[in-house]
Every structure is written in C-alpha cells, then in structure tokens.
Amino acid sequence: MIFDLAIIGGGINGCGIARDAAGRGLTVLLAEQDDLASATSGASSKLIHGGLRYLEQYQFRLVREALQEREVLLNIAPHIIHPLDFVVPHDRGMRPAWMIRAGLFLYDHIGGKISLPPSRELAFPDERYSAGLRPAIHRGFVYSDARVDDARLTVLNAMSARALGATIMTRTRVEEVKRATGAWHMTLRDTVSQATTQIHAHAIVNAAGPWVQQVLEGSAHMATTATVRLVKGAHIVVPRIHEQEHAYLLQNDDGRVVFVIPYEGKYSLIGTTDVAVDNIAQGGAITDAETRYLLRAVNRYFARGVQAQDVVWSYAGIRPLYNDGHTNPAAVTRDYVLKVDDGNGNLPLLSIFGGKITTYRRLAEHALDQLRDYFPGRGAQWREWTATVALPGGDVDDDGQGADRVVRVVRYAQTLSRQHPGVPPDFIQRLVMRHGTNTAVVLQSARVLADLGELFGRGLNLLCEREIEYLIASEWARSTEDILWRRTKCGLHMDNEERARAGDFIDKKLKAVYP
C-alpha cells in the first residue's frame, strides 16, 4: 500500500486537502482516529464569514481571503451554505458608531466583488431587524455573511475525495510515522478491531488539528519550534429568541462579540467563548461559567431574559491556533501557518497550525503549493480546480433563468416533490438542505412517506430508515452520534425516548454492516 500523500486528520483541512490532491492525480490516504468532523470542525459557530472583528487586529489578508472564499463556497455548496443577515445593535457602551461604520465599509470592499447585500445603518424600532431587542436600543447596523453545516461540509469534501480515488479511513489512529529509504513508513491502528496496517507514502500532511503537535513530537518523534495554542470555544442552543431570520452580533461587556444565530428552525445558537486551556481534555464540554458568560451577553440586549434552564443543548471544541505570542486568547491569530520538514531530503511532512472553516479550500491550495516540488513531472494536472467544481449535492442546475443560489435549491426541492407526491414537501426540503442533488439517491423510487421505512422524530425533522442506510453506506457513519448529531441534527428535535429508539435502530443497522 504505497500512496503519494498520506493525510493525518479528518477535519475540514484534512478532507479539503484530500479532495484537492486527489483531483490533481495524487494517490491519497486519509486517516482519522474518530469520525470525520468529530472534533474542532464539528464544533464551530457554523458560519462562513470574513471575520469582521479581525479587522481590529489588522488581519487584513485573512479577512480578504475569507470574504473571497465566502463567495466561492456559496457557489459550490449552495445546499448547505446560505446567506445570512447579521444585525449589530448599538448602545453607548460599545465601540463608537463611527468605528463600526468604518469597519463595515472596509468589510464590504476589502474582498473585492461580492454578491451579498452591503452593510447599512438602521434606526430602531424596525419591524424586522429589531425583533426581540430591548426598546432602549435605538440604533444598529446590518451586514451580510453566511451560515454552514460544518460537519456536513467536512463530509462532503471527503466524499468528493473518495470519488476521485482517495482512500478515507475513519476510526483509524496513526501510531507511528518514520522516514525510511524512499518513503515514509506509517503504522495505522483500527480503533474498533485493534488491527494494525502498514502503509508507505512519499509525503505526509499533519492536519491533526488540536493533536498536530502530538503527532509531530509523539508519532513522528520530531522536534518543532512552531507550537499550537489551544483555545476552547463553547456554544449553547436555546428555544428561538426572535422570529425573524437574521442573526445578531452582540458586543459583550468585556469587548468580545457573541453571535445569536437562528438554528434548526425553532432554536437560537449562541456563541462563542474564548478560553485558553492547557490540554485537549479540558475542551470537551461547556462549563457553568461559560454558560453564564453567553447568557449575560444575550440578556444585555434582549427583552426576554434567557436562563440556564432554557439551554437544550451545548457543545464545545478546541481551536488549534498558531501560537503567535498573544496572551489574550481572543487576540491570537485565526490565520493558518504551514510548516514543512523534509529532513534535508525528498520526504516532506507538512504540518498545519491554525485555520478557519471559511478558508479551508485556500489552505488546501497553499498546502499543495508547498508540496509541488516534491511531485515533479505532474504538468498540467497540477492546477487549482476546487473553486469551480461543486461539492457533492451542490450541482443544482441554473435552468437558464439566472436564478440565484437559494432559488435554485428551492426549485430543485420542488421538482423532487412533484416526482414524489406522497412525501411531504417540507421533509423533502429538509433532505435537500442536507444532501442537495443526492437527495434523489435517498428517496429512490419512494412515492409515499411509508416507502422510506421506519421513521423517527416528527415534522420536517424526521429521520427515515432510507437516510440512515444512506449515511452508513455513503458517509462513513459508524455510530448513533455520527447520525443524530453530525450527519444530521435530528437528535436535537427528539426527546430522550425518541433518541433511544432511534439509537437502538441505528445500532442494529450498523451491526448488520459491521458485525
């Protein structure tokens, strides 16, 4: 088993590099010790954004690149990435209005040509944009960004890589990597069966996220001057705070910003925190202090108070930031840094420090730029290509009428509804928001809802047997959590009894495939 490129880590950066490299003709192996997007890449604020607050830190290159990537990603994954308005309420305790206005003007223009609406100032009360806010707030601003299903974005990149010939191995831990004559030798362990496999590769990408330094110093036995800064970000989900479809960006009393984002129809997603931690184990769950912090930000601005007992779900993740020396976790750069060690030979190991979901595709291009000289003779095949090729499910036809991205996705769902008249249109729309044009593979020849097998949940948030089978067969789902909380968010819409029933059913399906 000899590969051109072996990638350690199945987060967004690893999967993005696997896709790009496979499309350039490299033989690729990706090994992930758990599930795809099971760590940082599935615990984000679920936004595709330029990073408005990074302008204050003079990170202009990062903001420009992120805004350009926002345009690209809206086009190649219109089923899981959607435009979203953000309202910034303003009061005297915040940054001066002139500063916000100047920052938004720069945000509108630094990325070049954009398709989303420009920012503007607002006077409250406003029938739409001041929904839920305290009456004492009389002024605000609105600007545009986008939201994303982060775990699905990761999985779709892995699916695209596999379609191009890459080998994707989940539940596979890299135990050791070492240079030998002519190739890297890698020992992989299946974390379920404990079986080991030996493979060889001409180059390695260390995209292990929070574990990047452990891979270097542990598995690879290599010293490094670059270090990773572990910063925990936590989020809470509460019943919907306001009925409109825009999000809010709130300035908390410490100067940090907190997002309030419409989530899964009936909920609001609130985050995030920035807490430095000493090790990965400290980042697994939200603390009471972090919950209070987020609630304090919300209750400064909203008329209806939100309490800790209103939280229906929470999650936390570790951001593996490049250690640039800042003592304030919120000020540490979100830009990425790539380090190559080739041992003064021709066997490179490229390690990735930092990065944002929004810029994963450009990071992948930059990573392959760093590796290009180690793969001579590739010619025209070695080219940038991922900006114009849709991710799986994103190939929704324009129909020649110039319809925008959102309209095309809606029209596709309507077409499927006509083809499957007995399946509720809302349910089909929900499937399209997860699978895009691959929804047809899930529905197959179903005429009525009963044709989709066992059902779990209710309304448009139903999880059906046919989708469960698809996720196991096509998307590496190997556990109930993979399906209820990463491939879908159906677990959020079920009570404990429904989750238990779904879990029992999923376990039976998995045992039939993986006895």
Side-chain angles (χ1 to χ4, degrees):
M1 299 177 67
I2 302 176
F3 296 88
D4 292 325
L5 182 64
I7 300 168
I8 303 171
I12 188 62
N13 290 331
C15 291
I17 293 170
R19 179 192 190 222
D20 196 336
R24 299 184 192 218
L26 298 185
T27 55
V28 176
L29 167 82
L30 182 146
E32 161 57 45
Q33 66 179 347
D34 199 334
D35 182 30
L36 301 173
S38 58
T40 305
S41 296
S44 76
S45 297
K46 309 190 188 308
L47 298 176
I48 297 296
H49 67 131
L52 178 61
R53 71 182 181 89
Y54 305 149
L55 292 175
E56 283 188 321
Q57 300 160 10
Y58 309 110
Q59 296 186 48
F60 301 122
R61 191 213 67 80
L62 173 61
V63 175
R64 177 178 173 81
E65 181 176 270
L67 289 171
Q68 291 170 341
E69 282 303 288
R70 187 185 67 187
E71 290 294 307
V72 171
L73 297 178
L74 280 164
N75 283 318
I76 67 174
H79 52 314
I80 62 165
I81 301 176
H82 311 114
L84 184 63
D85 287 342
F86 285 77
V87 171
V88 185
H90 187 267
D91 64 26
R92 293 182 179 179
M94 293 180 60
R95 295 162 176 84
W98 67 263
M99 182 183 293
I100 297 175
R101 193 182 301 111
L104 289 171
F105 177 85
L106 183 58
Y107 200 69
D108 286 340
H109 294 88
I110 193 173
K113 185 178 180 181
I114 61 172
S115 61
L116 300 184
S119 62
R120 57 189 175 92
E121 193 164 352
L122 301 169
F124 297 151
D126 180 280
E127 184 176 350
R128 176 183 177 188
Y129 286 123
S130 61
L133 294 176
R134 292 180 180 275
I137 300 174
H138 300 294
R139 189 181 192 183
F141 304 85
V142 61
Y143 71 96
S144 301
D145 262 321
R147 65 178 129 191
V148 66
D149 187 324
D150 49 7
R152 290 215 58 76
L153 182 64
T154 304
V155 170
L156 294 183
N157 273 274
M159 292 174 69
S160 179
R162 179 182 58 194
L164 293 163
T167 299
I168 309 295
M169 300 176 68
T170 63
R171 270 74 179 187
T172 301
R173 184 170 56 247
V174 176
E175 301 236 310
E176 186 177 36
V177 295
K178 58 184 180 181
R179 286 189 179 98
T181 303
W184 284 96
H185 289 198
M186 297 181 64
T187 301
L188 311 178
R189 183 177 295 277
D190 186 307
T191 61
V192 179
S193 70
Q194 299 304 313
T196 59
T197 303
Q198 304 292 324
I199 69 105
H200 302 85
H202 298 299
I204 294 177
V205 169
N206 176 9
W211 293 269
V212 61
Q213 205 164 330
Q214 290 184 21
V215 168
L216 278 171
E217 298 172 352
S219 302
H221 311 292
M222 296 171 62
T224 176
T225 56
T227 57
V228 67
R229 183 81 175 273
L230 302 179
V231 177
K232 177 184 175 186
H235 298 77
I236 57 176
V237 176
V238 301
R240 190 74 170 263
I241 293 176
H242 67 90
E243 295 304 317
Q244 298 296 333
E245 286 303 314
H246 61 268
Y248 284 101
L249 184 150
L250 311 176
Q251 180 178 313
N252 210 353
D253 48 16
D254 61 355
R256 287 200 67 257
V257 298
V258 171
F259 293 110
V260 179
I261 305 164
Y263 190 63
E264 289 291 303
K266 57 191 291 189
Y267 299 104
S268 293
L269 173 65
I270 302 169
T272 178
T273 59
D274 272 313
V275 179
V277 295
D278 296 324
N279 57 68
I280 296 169
Q282 294 176 349
I286 192 172
T287 64
D288 290 342
E290 288 173 303
T291 297
R292 290 194 298 271
Y293 175 88
L294 296 174
L295 292 175
R296 187 170 75 247
V298 171
N299 290 330
R300 288 185 68 211
Y301 291 91
F302 284 90
R304 180 173 67 85
V306 184
Q307 309 302 321
Q309 57 265 31
D310 297 322
V311 177
V312 298
W313 184 43
S314 64
Y315 62 88
I318 296 289
R319 305 184 194 97
L321 307 179
Y322 178 70
N323 190 357
D324 60 4
H326 274 99
T327 57
N328 179 6
V332 178
T333 181
R334 266 53 177 177
D335 211 344
Y336 50 85
V337 175
L338 309 179
K339 298 287 187 180
V340 178
D341 183 325
D342 65 4
N344 297 318
N346 201 38
L347 296 176
L349 187 153
L350 183 150
S351 295
I352 298 169
F353 296 83
K356 289 165 46 69
I357 281 184
T358 305
T359 54
Y360 86 88
R361 195 198 63 81
R362 287 292 289 135
L363 183 152
E365 290 182 339
H366 289 149
L368 289 165
D369 285 345
Q370 296 276 314
L371 295 174
R372 178 171 188 159
D373 290 344
Y374 299 99
F375 295 99
R378 297 285 169 167
Q381 194 173 22
W382 197 277
R383 59 180 178 83
E384 296 178 353
W385 65 276
T386 56
T388 56
V389 179
L391 285 165
D395 52 338
V396 183
D397 292 336
D398 190 348
D399 72 14
Q401 300 180 32
D404 68 17
R405 299 167 288 247
V406 176
V407 171
R408 296 203 305 269
V409 173
V410 170
R411 285 180 179 171
Y412 177 75
Q414 292 170 341
T415 298
L416 284 181
S417 293
R418 290 191 292 270
Q419 296 170 353
H420 305 270
V423 181
D426 285 348
F427 176 56
I428 289 179
Q429 176 69 35
R430 189 65 167 164
L431 286 176
V432 170
M433 299 281 274
R434 286 200 283 267
H435 304 291
T437 55
N438 284 336
T439 302
V441 181
V442 177
L443 294 174
Q444 298 181 32
S445 59
R447 299 288 295 174
V448 297
L449 196 57
D451 293 338
L452 297 174
E454 192 87 13
L455 299 173
F456 304 91
R458 60 180 67 87
L460 61 85
N461 297 299
L462 280 173
L463 178 66
C464 67
E465 180 176 355
R466 188 75 62 76
E467 186 177 14
I468 291 170
E469 292 172 342
Y470 172 82
L471 296 172
I472 293 171
S474 301
E475 296 193 5
W476 300 277
R478 297 285 298 273
S479 74
T480 296
E481 183 180 5
D482 295 353
I483 291 175
L484 293 188
W485 297 102
R486 275 188 287 277
R487 305 303 185 281
T488 78
K489 298 299 181 289
C490 289
L492 182 60
H493 302 279
M494 299 177 180
D495 58 28
N496 289 334
E497 183 179 344
E498 290 171 321
R499 282 192 286 268
R501 187 170 74 89
D504 290 342
F505 186 85
I506 290 169
D507 286 345
K508 291 177 183 177
K509 287 287 183 180
L510 286 166
K511 287 177 182 177
V513 178
Y514 303 104

